[in-house]
């Protein structure tokens, strides 16, 4: 355990409520959707589609991250007081933070794969194989594991002024963290953003000019690259902007107090990629789209049946009330006949 205390006293109440609610939502939605995505990624691999390799690795990374969320929830419920070992803190911190860059890596791989498939369908076919996808996936994992080793060599548990154990949080930022943060911003974020942007516009231009591609296929390709860039910008851009600002300007507690809520909100946005990533499967395979469409139609059918049954029950009750009402002009007989016809 580090002997250094966190010098800055920060109010965690706002982010405790916000984080706990969001993490619960991510868990409830993320686990079933990613489990469903894992199944379809496996189907893509069985069909010898190299894109399934990247999607499978992306889903595994998300599931590992989701597995660490219950521990972080307990950490939040205890008022940011870590009750487990330092080794558990390092493992959960690795799954929390490195999932960002593993996700970015595989989103980048998906974007490049679609770029080569659309713009250079024959020239780079050797790079779009199952073996090549497996090699690239291994490199992505090893790269992030190498960065994680740096964190495992440092103490990540420290005591604040209230004598509570704090995990993976240093305010102000420690000196050894700054080179890693620069690496994460420029190599882990900015470089992939450039690749994604170039691939995005080249794919859209190539699809627009292609005369042989079917309209439905064009739409699916455009949707895939669009949702990829949206996930990247919404989930990861705010966090890295505030990470760079903290790395360059954070030296004293007054600055930490000003930026703390904004930085933690941007960190919260990164967790939403576990919900957004399964959306990629909707634009990869027609069978996935068909199965989702079937599920939606089944839900709509159930709702319609429930509404029809409720309306029918309401009409029956109305007729019965009219039949039970006293009449003096002979209409009672006709109402009873109507009731019998309605029952039939």
């Amino acid at each position: 355990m580090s002997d250094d205390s966190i010098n800055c006293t920060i109010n965690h109440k706002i982010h405790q409520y916000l984080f706990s609610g969001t993490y619960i939502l991510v868990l409830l939605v993320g686990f079933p959707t990613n489990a469903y995505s894992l199944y379809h990624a496996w189907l893509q691999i069985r069909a010898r589609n190299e894109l399934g390799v990247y999607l499978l690795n992306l889903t595994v990374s998300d599931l590992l991250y989701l597995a660490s969320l219950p521990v972080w929830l307990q950490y939040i419920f205890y008022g940011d007081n870590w009750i487990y070992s330092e080794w558990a803190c390092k493992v959960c911190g690795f799954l929390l933070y490195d999932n960002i860059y593993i996700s970015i890596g595989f989103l980048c791989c998906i974007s490049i794969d679609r770029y080569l498939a659309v713009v250079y369908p024959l020239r780079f076919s050797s790079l779009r194989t199952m073996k090549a996808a497996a090699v690239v996936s291994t490199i992505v994992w090893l790269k992030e594991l190498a960065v994680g080793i740096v964190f495992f060599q440092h103490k990540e548990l420290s005591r604040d002024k209230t004598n509570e154990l704090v995990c993976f949080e240093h305010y102000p930022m420690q000196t050894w963290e700054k080179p890693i943060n620069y690496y994460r911003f420029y190599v882990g974020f900015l470089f992939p953003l450039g690749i994604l942007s170039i691939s995005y516009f080249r794919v859209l231009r190539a699809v627009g000019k292609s005369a042989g591609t079917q309209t439905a296929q064009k739409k699916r390709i455009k949707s895939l690259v669009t949702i990829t860039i949206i996930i990247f910008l919404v989930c990861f851009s705010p966090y890295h902007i505030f990470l760079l600002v903290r790395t360059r300007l954070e030296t004293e507690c007054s600055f930490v107090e000003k930026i703390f809520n904004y930085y933690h909100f941007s960190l919260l946005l990164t967790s939403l990629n576990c919900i957004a990533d399964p959306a990629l499967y909707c634009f990869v395979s027609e069978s996935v789209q068909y199965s989702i469409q079937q599920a939606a139609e089944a839900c709509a059918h159930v709702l319609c049946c429930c509404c029809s049954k409720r309306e029918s029950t309401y009409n029956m009750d109305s007729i019965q009330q009219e039949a039970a009402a006293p009449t003096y002009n002979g209409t009672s007989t006709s109402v009873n006949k109507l009731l019998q016809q309605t029952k039939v």
Side-chain angles (χ1 to χ4, degrees):
M1 185 188 308
S2 175
D3 295 328
D4 298 329
S5 63
I6 296 178
N7 298 323
C8 304
T9 302
I10 302 171
N11 184 6
H12 293 75
K13 289 185 178 179
I14 295 177
H15 102 267
Q16 282 176 346
Y17 294 128
L18 186 61
F19 267 52
S20 58
T22 305
Y23 281 171
I24 291 172
L25 175 65
V26 170
L27 278 171
L28 293 177
V29 178
F31 260 121
T33 55
N34 277 278
Y36 184 74
S37 301
L38 192 67
Y39 167 71
H40 280 285
W42 176 247
L43 293 181
Q44 292 290 322
I45 292 175
R46 289 185 62 184
R48 308 302 296 175
N49 185 355
E50 81 284 350
L51 196 61
V53 176
Y54 300 129
L55 293 171
L56 178 69
N57 283 274
L58 181 63
T59 304
V60 170
S61 175
D62 288 341
L63 288 172
L64 289 174
Y65 168 75
L66 289 169
S68 71
L69 282 188
V71 180
W72 288 111
L73 271 172
Q74 189 173 25
Y75 176 64
I76 294 171
F77 290 149
Y78 273 79
D80 285 4
N81 183 28
W82 190 260
I83 61 174
Y84 301 104
S85 65
E86 182 165 354
W87 178 257
C89 168
K90 291 179 179 181
V91 171
C92 291
F94 171 80
L95 294 176
L96 176 65
Y97 288 95
D98 279 33
N99 171 261
I100 297 172
Y101 302 99
I102 292 174
S103 297
I104 287 175
F106 286 114
L107 288 175
C108 197
C109 291
I110 292 170
S111 177
I112 294 174
D113 182 86
R114 293 301 88 190
Y115 167 73
L116 295 178
V118 174
V119 182
Y120 304 105
L122 299 177
R123 186 183 303 179
F124 296 102
S125 58
S126 60
L127 297 178
R128 296 178 48 247
T129 62
M130 298 288 291
K131 184 178 180 180
V135 171
V136 172
S137 300
T138 303
I139 293 173
V140 172
W141 281 99
L142 290 178
K143 179 178 72 70
E144 294 311 318
L145 287 173
V147 176
I149 290 174
V150 178
F151 287 95
F152 277 89
Q153 291 177 345
H154 291 83
K155 300 292 184 180
E156 290 297 342
L157 274 183
S158 56
R159 291 193 181 273
D160 62 8
K161 291 186 176 181
T162 61
N163 202 33
E164 292 182 343
L165 285 175
V166 182
C167 174
F168 247 87
E169 295 182 274
H170 303 287
Y171 304 105
M173 187 177 293
Q174 295 187 0
T175 305
W176 65 268
E177 293 179 283
K178 293 186 178 181
I180 297 176
N181 290 340
Y182 283 124
Y183 168 81
R184 284 180 160 179
F185 180 81
Y186 290 108
V187 179
F189 169 73
L190 201 59
F191 179 68
L193 178 61
I195 293 177
L196 279 171
S197 301
I198 294 172
S199 303
Y200 176 75
F201 290 110
R202 291 292 300 273
V203 166
L204 291 184
R205 187 172 66 178
V207 170
K209 292 181 179 180
S210 176
T213 308
Q214 296 180 358
T215 304
Q217 190 176 2
K218 285 183 178 181
K219 185 177 179 181
R220 190 164 65 251
I221 294 173
K222 289 180 179 179
S223 300
L224 175 63
V225 295
T226 301
I227 195 67
T228 303
I229 200 76
I230 289 175
I231 292 173
F232 194 93
L233 293 176
V234 173
C235 295
F236 303 124
S237 294
Y239 170 73
H240 285 90
I241 291 172
F242 284 108
L243 181 68
L244 182 65
V245 171
R246 282 193 64 202
T247 305
R248 294 182 63 89
L249 303 177
E250 186 175 294
T251 56
E252 54 187 17
C253 292
S254 58
F255 181 81
V256 174
E257 293 169 358
K258 292 178 182 178
I259 201 173
F260 177 81
N261 287 329
Y262 300 104
Y263 171 74
H264 269 253
F265 180 74
S266 68
L267 179 62
L268 184 64
L269 289 177
T270 63
S271 66
L272 299 180
N273 90 93
C274 292
I275 299 177
D277 286 343
L280 296 174
Y281 294 83
C282 301
F283 309 109
V284 173
S285 171
E286 292 182 357
S287 62
V288 178
Q289 294 180 351
Y290 180 71
S291 61
I292 293 175
Q293 183 180 357
Q294 279 188 320
E297 290 176 353
C299 293
H301 180 70
V302 171
L303 290 175
C304 289
C305 289
C306 292
C307 293
S308 300
K309 184 177 181 181
R310 185 180 301 175
E311 184 177 355
S312 176
T313 304
Y314 174 78
N315 292 335
M316 183 67 69
D317 292 341
S318 300
I319 294 174
Q320 288 177 347
Q321 289 176 1
E322 290 180 2
T327 55
Y328 302 98
N329 54 2
T331 59
S332 171
T333 304
S334 62
V335 170
N336 287 329
K337 290 181 179 179
L338 178 62
L339 178 60
Q340 292 176 355
Q341 292 174 356
T342 304
K343 288 182 178 179
V344 173

